[in-house]
Amino acid sequence: MIYFDLSSRADIIQEHRDSLKPYLLRKIRESNLNRLLKDFIESKLEDILVSKPEDLKNINDLLLGHRAYKNSLKPKIKKIFNYKYFTAKGNNRYDAYALAAKLQIRTCLYCNRNYTLTVDKGSGKDDKFIRPEFDHFFDQDDYPLLALSVYNLIPSCKTCNSTLKHTAKFKLSENIHPYVDDVISDYKYQYLPYTVSAILGGSAHLGVKLMPTSTDAILNQRIENSCEIFRLNEIFSAHSEELKDMFDIRHRFSQRYLIELVGKYEKLDFDYDDIYRIVFGTYSKEADFSKRPFSKVKKDILIELGIL
């Protein structure tokens, strides 16, 4: 659960709005929705595209409460906010590849385990190779109006989006939203069993457990809910082979291992962050955790082992 401050990227938000608005206005006017709903959606269109999650929920509630709305109209709304059109590889147009490339979020914001790289060599259809999946925090079945809302498109890996979350219904009051909830300091990963010697001796299997640490009980429960949905304890525990490297460092070297390395290589113009990245393969600063997998879990365990 890694935070990304989308609100600070006005360039991304503006491009998303300006690129999709003309297309959506045309789709609204071509639709056979009744005039009252067309007017409502058109009047709210910019807000639908770029509002923050809580405001999006309120707009959707206004739609549901509109005197001209009924559930049978959902397919028509879904046809306007056509996610399949957005995810199709387009020739020289704004699409899911363009958004992913602008965001440059390199790892899944839900697990920080898998890469979510965007690889292309241009804007042509045949120039686009891979991109992350986009999770709809508010699912498309219940919220077709929000299918193209930028705050409702979370770059994520296939495991988290399609396999684990799948059709689960998320709520702001119950789950962590990566664009809103900066909870990186409100939970930590611990290793199990709590004995380094047992792990190094091979007498125990290394496990990992996420522990909420906030003083806010409701926030802790939301963290637990998201942890359970994305199976973070089980998945990181399955990576015991990679995590044992840190225990080997703790066993073979002193607790001052990293500090000693920094002192040794300072003449080569390597600073603390450089050495950390080279040795552990991840980033030390919370703001950079999304750049490489395992950044959060490794940092927490390194602190617990006394290496940091």
Side-chain angles (χ1 to χ4, degrees), residues 34-49:
N34 63 70
R35 172 49 57 189
L36 289 174
L37 283 184
K38 281 187 176 183
D39 290 345
F40 171 81
I41 293 173
E42 189 167 329
S43 70
K44 299 288 185 183
L45 184 56
E46 288 198 11
D47 293 332
I48 291 168
L49 286 172

Side-chain angles (χ1 to χ4, degrees), residues 8-65:
S8 69
R9 296 299 308 274
D11 58 321
I12 294 175
I13 295 171
Q14 180 177 337
E15 182 179 15
H16 188 79
R17 179 195 65 206
D18 293 347
S19 298
L20 289 180
K21 185 179 177 181
Y23 162 77
L24 290 171
L25 283 173
R26 177 170 57 83
K27 296 293 288 184
I28 293 168
R29 290 161 187 170
E30 291 174 352
S31 171
N32 59 359
L33 275 175
N34 63 70
R35 172 49 57 189
L36 289 174
L37 283 184
K38 281 187 176 183
D39 290 345
F40 171 81
I41 293 173
E42 189 167 329
S43 70
K44 299 288 185 183
L45 184 56
E46 288 198 11
D47 293 332
I48 291 168
L49 286 172
V50 301
S51 288
K52 293 183 178 182
E54 187 172 348
D55 295 326
L56 291 176
K57 177 68 167 56
N58 291 336
I59 293 170
N60 194 76
D61 288 344
L62 286 175
L63 173 71
L64 298 182

Side-chain angles (χ1 to χ4, degrees), residues 86-227:
F86 181 66
T87 56
K89 294 181 180 180
N91 272 315
N92 302 309
R93 68 169 174 83
Y94 182 80
D95 57 12
Y97 279 85
L99 176 58
K102 281 282 187 179
L103 287 168
Q104 293 185 338
I105 296 173
R106 293 172 54 83
T107 66
C108 176
L109 294 179
Y110 287 129
C111 68
N112 188 224
R113 183 180 72 99
N114 291 320
Y115 277 112
T116 52
L117 301 173
T118 302
V119 180
D120 60 35
K121 64 176 183 179
S123 58
K125 181 178 179 180
D126 296 331
D127 296 328
K128 301 170 182 179
F129 306 128
I130 62 169
R131 62 165 178 83
E133 293 193 358
F134 281 103
D135 170 53
H136 289 81
F137 187 90
F138 299 115
D139 65 281
Q140 294 185 75
D141 287 340
D142 291 341
Y143 300 90
L145 188 71
L146 310 181
L148 298 180
S149 304
V150 69
Y151 273 92
N152 200 35
L153 297 170
I154 315 297
S156 53
C157 66
K158 185 177 181 65
T159 299
C160 286
N161 182 40
S162 299
T163 303
L164 296 175
K165 186 192 175 195
H166 193 39
T167 59
K169 309 295 186 182
F170 270 21
K171 297 179 180 179
L172 292 171
S173 61
E174 297 178 3
N175 304 98
I176 299 302
H177 192 303
Y179 289 156
V180 177
D181 299 306
D182 186 359
V183 298
I184 200 71
S185 299
D186 293 308
Y187 70 95
K188 65 179 181 178
Y189 289 102
Q190 293 183 333
Y191 60 83
L192 300 170
Y194 205 77
T195 51
V196 177
S197 58
I199 294 168
L200 292 175
S203 62
H205 175 74
L206 172 62
V208 174
K209 182 175 177 60
L210 184 150
M211 302 290 293
T213 58
S214 173
T215 56
D216 183 339
I218 295 175
L219 179 58
N220 283 341
Q221 186 58 59
R222 292 171 63 212
I223 292 171
E224 287 274 17
N225 292 343
S226 291
C227 174

